[in-house]
Amino acid sequence: MRAQTDKRLAGAVPILLIGFMGAGKSSVGHALAHELRCDFIDLDVVVERLAGKPIAEIFKTLGEPAFRKLEAEALDEVLSRAGSCVVALGGGAFVQPANRERIARSAGRVVFLEVSFEEALRRIGEAGGARPLAASRELLEKLFQQRESVYRQAHFRTDTTNKSVAEVAGEVAAWLREQEYQ
Ligand code: S3P
């Protein structure tokens, strides 16, 4: 029964994970795709492939507006590709109105992975400082506050702060199953 549910869900419409840097979008995305037995795509990786350089390098040499253009292009590519199943978006992707329109047209299900600011800071710190927008606590806090209400437009949200990756992935999968039977 469950395998059948997963098969019906997987790949029918993309499941898009959004949230702030450090929310666990990539880790949860991997686990969720594994649970649904479908493909996982990290949008930042698609951007890096399009640009032929790492995100930090894109910001440094081309600037943020060029990064956002590449990100929009990458999102178009991913949304138009059959079999894009679980997609982790970079923290700023859903904040761009044009990207939200793209996503609405795709009928994708948007899942907001919430995280407290202090926990996001801790996780960002642990990742070793590769994120270009994580240069200062002040900038991060401003972005965090500005983005919160936009992220809340998601179809479903869950707080990841004190949960394991497996727990969060399980919650999202359970919500998806519920949706299927409503
Ligand atoms: C960004 C988040 C990053 C990456 C880029 C910009 C943002 O992705 O897309 O550095 O604007 O919040 P993660 O959220 O996966 O760190």
Side-chain angles (χ1 to χ4, degrees), residues 21 25 44 55 59 67-68 71 90-92 131-133 147:
M21 291 168 257
K25 302 177 294 285
D44 280 346
I55 303 286
F59 270 78
F67 168 78
R68 295 295 168 204
E71 187 178 53
R131 289 172 165 102
L133 295 179
R147 290 174 173 183

Side-chain angles (χ1 to χ4, degrees), residues 12-171:
V13 290
I15 298 146
L16 305 156
L17 303 182
I18 66 163
F20 203 65
M21 291 168 257
K25 302 177 294 285
S26 300
S27 325
V28 171
H30 270 293
L32 181 62
H34 185 256
E35 183 153 348
L36 300 176
R37 279 171 243 117
C38 69
D39 289 341
F40 169 70
I41 298 168
D42 190 323
L43 194 66
D44 280 346
V45 172
V46 181
V47 172
E48 289 182 335
R49 182 173 46 72
L50 284 177
K53 51 181 107 182
I55 303 286
E57 204 55 34
I58 303 171
F59 270 78
K60 208 165 124 195
T61 58
L62 307 171
E64 184 171 350
F67 168 78
R68 295 295 168 204
K69 255 180 103 174
L70 285 162
E71 187 178 53
E73 222 178 285
L75 185 61
D76 269 340
E77 186 195 308
V78 166
L79 293 178
S80 63
R81 200 193 294 166
S84 291
C85 181
V86 178
V87 185
L89 269 56
F94 191 72
V95 181
Q96 316 301 316
N99 287 344
R100 291 204 296 281
E101 281 168 26
R102 284 182 175 89
I103 290 168
R105 282 197 299 272
S106 78
R109 295 169 204 204
V110 182
V111 172
F112 170 25
L113 301 185
E114 292 186 276
V115 63
S116 71
F117 181 65
E118 291 305 325
E119 178 61 11
L121 268 190
R122 197 188 63 76
R123 294 180 190 169
I124 290 168
E126 268 179 9
R131 289 172 165 102
L133 295 179
S136 79
R137 186 194 163 103
E138 288 66 34
L139 173 63
L140 277 174
E141 199 154 14
K142 201 170 140 204
L143 284 177
F144 189 88
Q145 285 164 3
Q146 282 171 349
R147 290 174 173 183
E148 189 71 10
S149 63
V150 183
Y151 291 149
R152 281 172 183 258
Q153 295 177 27
H155 299 111
F156 177 71
R157 65 174 197 257
T158 180
D159 196 342
T160 69
T161 304
N162 289 310
K163 291 177 197 152
S164 69
V165 166
E167 247 177 297
V168 177
E171 281 180 11

